[in-house]
Amino acid sequence: QVQLVESGGGSVQAGGSLRLSCTASGRTDVRTCMAWYRTVPGAARERLGVIYSGTSRTYYADSVKGRFTISLDNGKNTLSLQMNSLEPDDTGMYYCAADRDSSDFDCAFRANFASWGQGTQVTVSS
């Protein structure tokens, strides 16, 4: 099991940027798929994007494509989410997730993850 801890949330004005980090402890390997999700009260959980550790290939939701960037530092076991051009609709609780038993193809479509972080709040004001 991988333990995940997010950090970096906060408040920012529209148009600003934030960078979230997710530190993983426990074993990760080249078959690990890691993801960022967002939840907003009254709405379904939204998968923002994923990265497959073996290839560093990323896949993004249309709502954040071109504004958000996911990266993975394998040496530090740290997943990052760089968020630019933030909008009030980006407000929510952000979670990282991971699953070790994956493939590049599986990661692109994976919706269920074995490990989740505790979440970090992002608030974007207009």
Side-chain angles (χ1 to χ4, degrees), residues 7 9 32 80 100 108:
S7 61
T32 299
S80 297
R100 293 180 302 186

Side-chain angles (χ1 to χ4, degrees), residues 46-86:
E46 181 183 14
R47 195 186 83 160
L48 303 178
V50 295
I51 185 167
Y52 183 62
S53 61
T55 60
S56 295
R57 192 166 298 172
T58 54
Y59 303 90
Y60 296 97
D62 288 343
S63 61
V64 303
K65 196 175 296 182
R67 299 188 300 124
F68 291 11
T69 302
I70 294 174
S71 59
L72 178 63
D73 184 335
N74 280 309
K76 296 181 180 179
N77 275 2
T78 300
L79 176 73
S80 297
L81 178 66
Q82 177 66 43
M83 305 184 291
N84 299 326
S85 302
L86 284 162

Side-chain angles (χ1 to χ4, degrees), residues 3-46:
Q3 292 77 46
L4 304 172
V5 178
E6 300 100 337
S7 61
S11 299
V12 65
Q13 289 191 327
S17 299
L18 278 175
R19 186 178 182 87
L20 307 183
S21 295
C22 172
T23 302
S25 59
R27 186 175 67 86
T28 59
D29 57 31
V30 295
R31 295 184 301 135
T32 299
C33 179
M34 300 191 76
W36 285 101
Y37 278 81
R38 176 171 68 199
T39 61
V40 178
R45 183 177 65 187
E46 181 183 14

